[in-house]
Amino acid sequence: NRDYISIIKTDNIAPLYRELGQSVGVVTDDMQTPAERRAAYACDITYTTNKQIGFDYLRDRAGGHTRSRLDRLLQRCGETMQQPVLRGLCFGIVDEADSVLIDEATTPLILARAVKNSPAPEHYGVALACAARLQQGRDYTQHDRRIDLTPHGREYIEKLLSRLDAFWRRRDNREGLIEQALRTINLYVRDQHYLVIDGKVKIIDANTGRCLDGRTWERGLHQLIETREKVELTPVTEATDRISYQQLFSRYLRLGAMTGTAAEVAPELLTTYKLKVVRVDSHRPSRRTNLGTHVCADTETKLRAIVERVKQLHTSGQPVLIGTRSVASSEELSAHLTAAGLNHAVLNARHDAREAEIVARAGQRGQITIATNMAGRGTDIELGSGVAALGGLHVIVSSPNDARRLDRQLQGRCGRQGDPGSFETYISPDDEIVKHVKALKRCRVHHETRILCNAAVRLAQRNIERKQRFMRKRLARSEEQLGSALAFAAIR
């Protein structure tokens, strides 16, 4: 967990471990050599992130440490191999378990290398121009985040591109790149799914709101987005090895976890990881107050209502944390607060380097903070002097998230450790979640009916959670099948 790593670095807990005779190591992104990582993993207790462990496991496997029968035979025969970084998956404790084991388990970790025979830079521009001429329904179909060319679309692009170079004459090249271009146009939005920083396209982690440094999309998608954004193209990569979190964490001899929002995913944690959920009461009674849900007619009305609410709270000096779904929505709300003359801080993927500083000030008297999901996990916001008497930190959920758990995580930023705190939610029919359920559209007519909108939002969240659960099951099945198919070659 990111926060635990910062704690260990400041030596707040490490002396306690050392007093108990336990050595402590930390594995971070800035460790460049395998020797540094190996030394950290050799400690009795090692703090790191799930991605660090996953990619170190894959790199060890790529270096020959598959722990297969063939591997052991080669070692007995004197075959030399690269020394592994990890010393085995023994005892793991996962913090924010539902985020790591559930939310992030929809995408496998992929070890990649550059592709030699990749499309030329001009091919991406052609693909985007061609995709822009296609019509949904006639030339392609879209269901959720899946896009497929229709027979008419395949014939159309074949005629359209037949006079170009040899790359376009191959059906798999032609149709594969055009479908990726359609996904680029229809599914990927700047400042929501990615940022452009210093001339580079950086993927935004939907669960944490942070940038995923070093991660790229596959099969030309990243290069198509770079072409659309007119930045320098990165090399095309292909997968050399992969592992899902379901596979990785199931290989631990002993596994434990903790989180404040596990109730909704308890059955999945049990069936996938054999982890039973046990509820532990807080050591101090909660003083968190729910001030209800406010339904607005549209987005603009909702933003004005939030600004007025913030003005009211700011007058009394009560600090406010406003949660948003994306970088774009956080900056839109920021513009409204600026226009109203309200000084505030913004915490999103553009400002992740200042995360600790911004969060540390969020509980101070009169402070206004806008944040994406970055401020929704593993962070205790300490209250400033006299703030508890004002009611503590007030949290505003500016738009419901795809999962009820994510809303509860944001609401849980207030009222920590028995402190007072309060939260409220604002929704409108224009919110992102409306795209996932038709029932919510009726709120345009009955926008004053709070019960209807609340019920529709819960229905939308349940539908999305069910689809994501199916995606994780399908991923786990496909990874198992892939592992079985390659087992004869000792790759797994």
Side-chain angles (χ1 to χ4, degrees):
N1 178 279
R2 186 175 182 142
D3 302 298
Y4 281 148
I5 289 175
S6 65
I7 290 172
I8 292 297
K9 280 186 173 180
T10 56
D11 287 336
N12 288 339
I13 296 180
L16 174 61
Y17 287 135
R18 284 196 290 268
E19 190 69 23
L20 297 173
Q22 302 295 301
S23 58
V24 183
V26 182
V27 179
T28 59
D29 285 325
D30 53 12
M31 287 184 169
Q32 301 298 322
T33 66
E36 289 180 283
R37 292 174 172 271
R38 194 176 298 114
Y41 283 121
C43 294
D44 296 313
I45 301 169
T46 304
Y47 284 79
T48 187
T49 63
N50 44 300
K51 291 183 176 63
Q52 296 290 339
I53 295 174
F55 282 114
D56 283 334
Y57 182 88
L58 288 176
R59 283 188 283 265
D60 279 352
R61 193 157 73 178
H65 289 274
T66 61
R67 301 187 182 279
S68 66
R69 295 175 65 182
L70 178 59
D71 187 18
R72 294 192 294 271
L73 177 61
L74 290 173
Q75 286 180 319
R76 286 199 297 270
C77 293
E79 191 78 23
T80 59
M81 295 188 201
Q82 174 186 332
Q83 187 179 357
V85 169
L86 291 167
R87 57 186 179 123
L89 301 178
C90 303
F91 184 8
I93 301 176
V94 182
D95 190 24
E96 305 298 354
D98 59 320
S99 177
V100 175
L101 302 180
I102 300 297
D103 295 331
E104 298 190 42
T106 56
T107 305
L109 295 174
I110 298 174
L111 200 62
R113 65 183 176 191
V115 177
K116 294 181 179 179
N117 299 319
S118 58
E122 59 269 19
H123 291 152
Y124 300 112
V126 172
L128 288 171
C130 178
R133 300 177 63 172
L134 303 181
Q135 296 182 18
Q136 186 174 350
R138 185 193 70 179
D139 300 313
Y140 67 93
T141 58
Q142 179 178 343
H143 180 67
D144 291 334
R145 299 191 66 81
R146 176 173 177 173
I147 291 180
D148 297 296
L149 288 168
T150 64
H152 182 278
R154 293 189 181 94
E155 293 178 8
Y156 178 72
I157 64 171
E158 183 178 7
K159 293 177 182 178
L160 193 64
L161 304 173
S162 60
R163 296 184 180 181
L164 301 182
D165 59 58
F167 173 85
W168 298 107
R169 295 185 196 125
R170 288 192 56 179
R171 178 177 176 179
D172 54 345
N173 288 347
R174 180 176 64 245
E175 295 181 2
L177 199 57
I178 295 299
E179 285 183 346
Q180 289 291 68
L182 287 168
R183 294 184 182 97
T184 300
I185 295 171
N186 292 287
L187 302 179
Y188 291 88
V189 180
R190 181 171 176 167
D191 295 342
Q192 180 178 342
H193 300 106
Y194 66 92
L195 292 175
V196 179
I197 301 176
D198 298 329
K200 296 184 182 299
V201 171
K202 295 192 175 183
I203 301 173
I204 298 175
D205 187 332
N207 300 308
T208 65
R210 300 183 178 99
C211 286
L212 296 172
D213 291 329
R215 296 283 293 274
T216 60
W217 284 296
E218 291 184 283
R219 299 190 296 126
L221 177 62
H222 204 87
Q223 290 69 32
L224 285 162
I225 292 176
E226 289 172 329
T227 300
R228 181 173 68 176
E229 299 296 341
K230 298 181 174 57
V231 300
E232 183 179 355
L233 300 189
T234 56
V236 180
T237 59
E238 64 179 0
T240 59
D241 200 359
R242 56 190 283 161
I243 192 169
S244 66
Y245 282 130
Q246 292 93 325
Q247 287 180 312
L248 178 66
F249 286 103
S250 294
R251 294 182 181 184
Y252 271 88
L253 296 177
R254 296 288 185 272
L255 184 66
M258 65 193 89
T259 179
T261 49
E264 296 91 338
V265 292
E268 188 172 354
L269 289 171
L270 179 60
T271 57
T272 304
Y273 303 100
K274 305 298 186 292
L275 293 175
K276 294 182 179 179
V277 174
V278 178
R279 186 179 185 275
V280 179
D281 291 331
S282 58
H283 69 293
R284 294 176 183 171
S286 175
R287 299 166 64 191
R288 188 180 301 120
T289 304
N290 183 357
L291 299 183
T293 300
H294 308 278
V295 179
C296 304
D298 51 44
T299 299
E300 188 61 31
T301 303
K302 181 178 71 173
L303 291 175
R304 289 198 301 267
I306 291 174
V307 170
E308 289 302 316
R309 178 61 169 150
V310 172
K311 276 185 181 179
Q312 176 188 353
L313 295 166
H314 187 66
T315 302
S316 68
Q318 187 173 3
V320 182
L321 173 66
I322 311 168
T324 62
R325 286 176 57 101
S326 66
V327 173
S329 57
S330 69
E331 294 177 346
E332 182 182 15
L333 181 55
S334 174
H336 279 72
L337 291 178
T338 300
L342 295 169
N343 293 326
H344 59 280
V346 179
L347 175 58
N348 58 34
R350 294 191 199 277
H351 311 98
D352 58 353
R354 298 176 53 230
E355 178 179 355
E357 173 191 348
I358 294 173
V359 170
R361 295 202 313 264
Q364 302 303 306
R365 185 185 182 98
Q367 185 66 34
I368 302 171
T369 308
I370 301 173
T372 57
N373 288 342
M374 293 175 68
R377 301 225 61 135
T379 306
D380 277 347
I381 298 176
E382 296 185 5
L383 301 183
S385 176
V387 170
L390 299 174
L393 178 68
H394 182 74
V395 172
I396 294 177
V397 181
S398 66
S399 178
N401 285 281
D402 288 349
R404 172 64 178 155
R405 288 180 297 106
L406 300 180
D407 290 339
R408 292 205 291 125
Q409 289 156 16
L410 178 60
Q411 294 160 2
R413 293 310 98 210
C414 68
R416 307 284 285 187
Q417 304 295 331
D419 288 332
S422 54
F423 66 89
E424 58 189 327
T425 303
Y426 286 78
I427 62 176
S428 79
D430 297 331
D431 289 341
E432 181 72 18
I433 203 166
V434 74
K435 300 176 182 178
H436 300 283
V437 60
K438 296 179 180 179
L440 190 56
K441 294 181 180 178
R442 291 200 293 271
C443 293
R444 291 187 181 279
V445 180
H446 305 289
H447 64 265
E448 74 282 2
T449 309
R450 186 180 64 181
I451 296 177
L452 173 61
C453 283
N454 274 332
V457 167
R458 298 294 175 264
L459 175 62
Q461 290 174 330
R462 284 197 297 270
N463 289 341
I464 296 170
E465 289 167 354
R466 185 173 62 252
K467 289 178 182 178
Q468 292 174 342
R469 188 163 57 248
F470 173 76
M471 289 171 57
R472 290 189 290 270
K473 288 182 178 179
R474 186 172 60 184
L475 172 64
R477 268 198 313 270
S478 65
E479 293 296 308
E480 289 175 3
Q481 291 169 357
L482 180 62
S484 299
L486 297 176
F488 72 93
I491 295 178
R492 290 290 185 271

